[in-house]
Amino acid sequence: METTYSLTHMTDYLNLPSLDYPDMRLTLFLVLLFCMPTQALTVITGNSFEHYNLEGGLEYRLQASPDRPQMNTDWEVARDTLTFGFNPDNLWIRFAVRNTSSETQNLILDFPYPLLDEVDVYIKDESGNETLHQLGDTRPASAQKIQHPHLLADFRLPAMSEHQIIVRVKTEATLNVPLTLWAQSAFVSSSVRTTVFDMMMYGILVGIALYHLLLFAQLREPSYFWYSAFLITLVSIFAYFQGYINAYAFESLRRHSNHFLSWSYALVALSCIFYIQRTLDLPRSRPGYSKALNAVIASGVILAIAAMYIPYSLSIKLLTGYAIFATLVVISSQAIRVLDQYEPAYYGFSASAFLLIGMGITILEKTGLIVSTPVTRSAGDVGFTIMAIFYALLLSQRMRWEQHKRHKAELAVRLSNAELLQTQQKLNKKLDVLVRERTVELEKTNEQLHQASITDPLTGLFNRRHFDQEFQRLHQDATYDGSSLSLILLDIDHFKAINDHYGHPAGDACLIDIANRIQSVAKNFDAVCARYGGEEFIILMADEDLSTARAAAQTLLSLIREVPVSVSGHSIRVTASIGVIARQPGSSDETDTLLKAADELLYQAKSQGRDQICSPESTNVPL
């Protein structure tokens, strides 16, 4: 806001004689300027107005009495967002809104922090008529004109007019009052984007929770249940702090929303701690920390019960302290397991670090120690979301860790059996020499027979029977640990024409040459390569995504296309058609499903002109 004062107008208004001396005019101007009452901030809403964040320059007054202060009393000027921590006083705010456009404007005063008990908005026009909006999460939802997660006061501002706005805020929670003045159309657009983002975040968390609940129903592993309960309770806390529960819940639940928060805190602590105890094996490895976590659970339940009988202003402070204490205990238990070199604990400790940072920023913002911005206000939500993702990784890593332990135990058994066999061999040395010689011969023969049974005699690659066995094994492993499988199915274009034109020996030489090129590309991915039939080859890559498989296929396609095959003085140009598919197998999937998808992609590559790659990202073949 910018205001210009005219010295001539002021002297005329006060009936003072004309001043001819510049110094005397300046002196009188300064005296009059400092004697004038302070004007509140005026927001100018022109034709292109969309929104204005009411932060620095906003005038406010804190007082114990709910009575409206006089306009000429002392008011303070805010430097940034009005944040005062746990403050029981009434906060009064004043400012003006001036419409400089030629049309009436529909405006909305937005309070993005919805957990304010009482918010009274007085809007006074130039004629002295005053409108009152009574908002707040302790007041009935039916008394508020606009049903929305935020607290909203709407008004119409005629062209070339000005309204004075005074706001009173009283709350038992943290006195955090971010304010934004919106043009109605801009607010609707922004609100839709915010709601879509929130619902997307909730949907991701609820989807993960339901997935783990289904895993619990199938596997009966309690860790899945507690993780699912933790995520669902976490989403309810998000919805509470973002205003969705108070805005859209039943009126009876709205009246008890403060109790809802205390019970949600207790349940999220209970489910999180039970999950941590099982995934980190605390009852067996660290019983002392397990008992401490059980005490945290009991404290949360007691606090939730006590919150039903004590003032909310006290219970919210106790809940804040409890959240900090519970977080520190959980982090310390994870830290001690990190020191135990228990690998799954690394994910849990990282998750808690993100949670601690997010909660720390949120607490500092709610208590007024740092500036309130959209980033600081959403830091806790972001921290919780990242923590939920890392906790999912913790559970997966724990399963892998147990699998690794089983493999080590099996290896130890095998080593023990080998030592026992060696001892027996020493006791029967003479007899064993003969047995060993014959055994070596037999093993060599068996190995030769085995290699002959799994190898294609022409190309030296694995044959189809061995590939099918390896495919079944890797498919089961991928289904168990949640990794992906990639298939590259390759067919030499117009191979019959090569046989017809150059002869079958030349065709065999082409197959051998192409097989060597396939082997040179596949060895970089530890892949299984096989001659799948005739001029058809297949490559199976474990734990590789579609982009990696397609890149490998592109390399192979270029290598085949650009380097002709030399046979008996002839330079034969060879091309290939390739189908590429990658998928994370589910428990109900079969290997035939993946093979059929790859074959359909190969067929489409041929039907589209050959010498190309088809994959799900470039085709409409249903998967």
Side-chain angles (χ1 to χ4, degrees):
M1 180 188 68
E2 188 174 331
T3 304
T4 303
Y5 296 95
S6 171
L7 182 59
T8 303
H9 290 168
M10 286 189 288
T11 56
D12 292 342
Y13 176 76
L14 297 173
N15 294 321
L16 296 175
S18 176
L19 299 176
D20 297 330
Y21 299 100
D23 292 342
M24 294 181 64
R25 286 188 176 186
L26 178 60
T27 301
L28 181 58
F29 172 73
L30 293 176
V31 170
L32 292 174
L33 182 61
F34 284 108
C35 291
M36 293 178 65
T38 303
Q39 283 188 316
L41 169 71
T42 299
V43 181
I44 306 299
T45 61
N47 292 324
S48 60
F49 176 76
E50 291 187 355
H51 75 280
Y52 181 83
N53 294 324
L54 295 161
E55 297 174 344
L58 195 65
E59 289 192 320
Y60 70 94
R61 178 178 174 82
L62 284 168
Q63 61 182 38
S65 171
D67 298 331
R68 188 191 300 191
Q70 298 296 323
M71 297 303 291
N72 58 357
T73 55
D74 293 334
W75 292 73
E76 298 185 54
V77 179
R79 296 182 179 180
D80 44 58
T81 301
L82 296 171
T83 305
F84 303 97
F86 293 103
N87 193 315
D89 290 340
N90 291 270
L91 172 65
W92 289 89
I93 306 167
R94 71 176 184 180
F95 62 97
V97 183
R98 182 185 303 158
N99 181 6
T100 60
S101 68
S102 59
E103 297 180 355
T104 298
Q105 293 182 329
N106 296 316
L107 302 176
I108 291 179
L109 184 60
D110 177 19
F111 296 80
Y113 181 60
L115 304 183
L116 300 173
D117 294 347
E118 297 178 4
V119 178
D120 295 332
V121 181
Y122 301 88
I123 303 175
K124 186 175 182 180
D125 61 20
E126 293 176 335
S127 302
N129 299 320
E130 189 172 79
T131 304
L132 171 62
H133 294 266
Q134 291 185 313
L135 313 173
D137 69 340
T138 60
R139 290 170 169 168
S142 58
Q144 304 187 45
K145 184 177 178 181
I146 303 176
Q147 188 181 27
H148 192 273
H150 295 180
L151 305 177
L152 305 176
D154 66 321
F155 60 97
R156 292 169 60 85
L157 186 60
M160 307 305 294
S161 65
E162 181 175 312
H163 283 181
Q164 300 293 326
I165 299 178
I166 297 180
V167 180
R168 182 186 74 88
V169 181
K170 168 73 174 176
T171 186
E172 293 183 352
T174 55
L175 190 56
N176 180 31
V177 191
L179 275 171
T180 303
L181 183 66
W182 289 89
Q184 189 179 79
S185 58
F187 173 78
V188 171
S189 177
S190 174
S191 181
V192 168
R193 290 194 300 269
T194 301
T195 302
V196 168
F197 174 80
D198 291 340
M199 293 304 104
M200 182 177 65
M201 184 181 70
Y202 295 163
I204 291 173
L205 294 178
V206 171
I208 295 174
L210 294 178
Y211 172 73
H212 284 83
L213 198 60
L214 290 174
L215 290 179
F216 166 72
Q218 292 180 349
L219 304 178
R220 299 300 178 184
E221 167 57 46
S223 299
Y224 292 116
F225 172 80
W226 291 120
Y227 180 67
S228 178
F230 167 70
L231 285 187
I232 293 174
T233 313
L234 189 65
V235 168
S236 68
I237 293 178
F238 285 173
Y240 175 81
F241 277 107
Q242 293 173 344
Y244 290 101
I245 289 182
N246 278 340
Y248 303 114
F250 297 109
E251 193 63 44
S252 57
L253 178 59
R254 181 184 176 90
R255 289 196 298 268
H256 299 286
S257 61
N258 293 341
H259 299 157
F260 170 84
L261 180 62
S262 58
W263 279 106
S264 295
Y265 268 48
L267 290 175
V268 78
L270 181 145
S271 55
C272 178
I273 289 173
F274 278 156
Y275 173 74
I276 289 297
Q277 288 204 22
R278 289 195 62 85
T279 53
L280 299 186
D281 196 21
L282 288 175
R284 184 189 62 82
S285 60
R286 291 287 180 171
Y289 279 88
S290 179
K291 293 178 181 178
L293 290 172
N294 290 333
V296 171
I297 294 174
S299 301
V301 174
I302 293 172
L303 182 58
I305 296 173
M308 302 174 67
Y309 304 99
I310 62 177
Y312 180 68
S313 59
L314 176 59
S315 69
I316 190 64
K317 295 177 183 178
L318 293 176
L319 282 173
T320 302
Y322 172 75
I324 297 173
F325 173 73
T327 302
L328 293 177
V329 174
V330 170
I331 290 177
S332 63
S333 63
Q334 293 170 343
I336 199 66
R337 293 298 281 146
V338 169
L339 296 177
D340 291 341
Q341 296 184 349
Y342 184 64
E343 289 185 8
Y346 300 148
Y347 292 92
F349 187 77
S350 300
S352 296
F354 282 108
L355 170 63
L356 187 61
I357 293 172
M359 285 188 61
I361 295 175
T362 298
I363 292 171
L364 292 175
E365 184 264 339
K366 299 302 181 190
T367 53
L369 297 178
I370 61 175
V371 177
S372 179
T373 66
V375 174
T376 58
R377 287 195 293 271
S378 61
D381 297 346
V382 174
F384 269 116
T385 304
I386 297 177
M387 179 192 68
I389 295 173
F390 269 80
Y391 272 176
L393 295 175
L394 164 61
L395 183 56
S396 174
Q397 184 62 21
R398 174 182 171 246
M399 298 302 180
R400 293 185 180 184
W401 175 265
E402 291 183 348
Q403 183 183 19
H404 177 65
K405 288 174 61 179
R406 288 195 297 269
H407 288 169
K408 288 182 64 177
E410 293 172 358
L411 179 61
V413 170
R414 287 197 295 267
L415 290 175
S416 177
N417 291 337
E419 291 176 357
L420 179 60
L421 179 61
Q422 185 178 9
T423 302
Q424 292 174 345
Q425 290 173 344
K426 289 180 179 179
L427 295 176
N428 301 281
K429 186 175 182 180
K430 290 183 179 181
L431 181 61
D432 184 60
V433 170
L434 180 60
V435 171
R436 233 184 356 235
E437 290 176 353
R438 294 186 178 181
T439 300
V440 169
E441 293 176 0
L442 182 60
E443 287 178 348
K444 289 181 179 180
T445 303
N446 288 337
E447 180 62 24
Q448 293 172 354
L449 292 174
H450 175 69
Q451 289 297 324
S453 67
I454 66 174
T455 303
D456 176 61
L458 176 64
T459 63
L461 299 180
F462 291 127
N463 58 25
R464 180 167 182 169
R465 184 176 66 85
H466 181 69
F467 174 82
D468 290 340
Q469 294 173 351
E470 287 295 295
F471 192 14
Q472 287 287 347
R473 180 182 64 82
L474 293 176
H475 188 276
Q476 291 176 358
D477 291 345
T479 303
Y480 180 78
D481 61 20
S483 60
S484 62
L485 287 178
S486 299
L487 274 182
I488 300 175
L489 190 59
L490 179 148
D491 187 88
I492 299 176
D493 297 330
H494 304 297
F495 184 72
K496 184 177 183 302
I498 295 176
N499 277 335
D500 293 341
H501 185 74
Y502 297 100
H504 287 281
D508 291 344
C510 283
L511 292 175
I512 295 171
D513 192 286
I514 297 302
N516 292 335
R517 299 182 194 187
I518 291 174
Q519 191 72 270
S520 67
V521 173
K523 69 181 180 182
N524 298 323
F525 304 91
D526 195 20
V528 178
C529 305
R531 183 183 180 188
Y532 206 60
E535 65 272 19
E536 199 171 49
F537 300 87
I538 193 164
I539 303 173
L540 173 62
M541 296 190 293
D543 201 19
E544 297 290 352
D545 58 15
L546 181 62
S547 61
T548 302
R550 185 172 174 85
Q554 185 61 54
T555 301
L556 182 57
L557 185 68
S558 300
L559 185 61
I560 295 173
R561 177 196 299 147
E562 296 170 3
V563 182
V565 176
S566 297
V567 179
S568 302
H570 297 288
S571 181
I572 305 174
R573 183 179 179 274
V574 180
T575 63
S577 299
I578 302 178
V580 182
I581 184 71
R583 182 183 296 169
Q584 180 178 330
S587 57
S588 61
D589 290 341
E590 299 292 340
T591 54
D592 291 344
T593 304
L594 200 59
L595 284 170
K596 182 179 179 182
D599 190 60
E600 290 177 355
L601 290 167
L602 173 61
Y603 177 79
Q604 184 165 350
K606 284 187 170 296
S607 65
Q608 292 178 353
R610 294 182 170 84
D611 191 22
Q612 59 181 274
I613 299 170
C614 276
S615 62
E617 65 183 17
S618 60
T619 180
N620 294 321
V621 173
L623 302 180

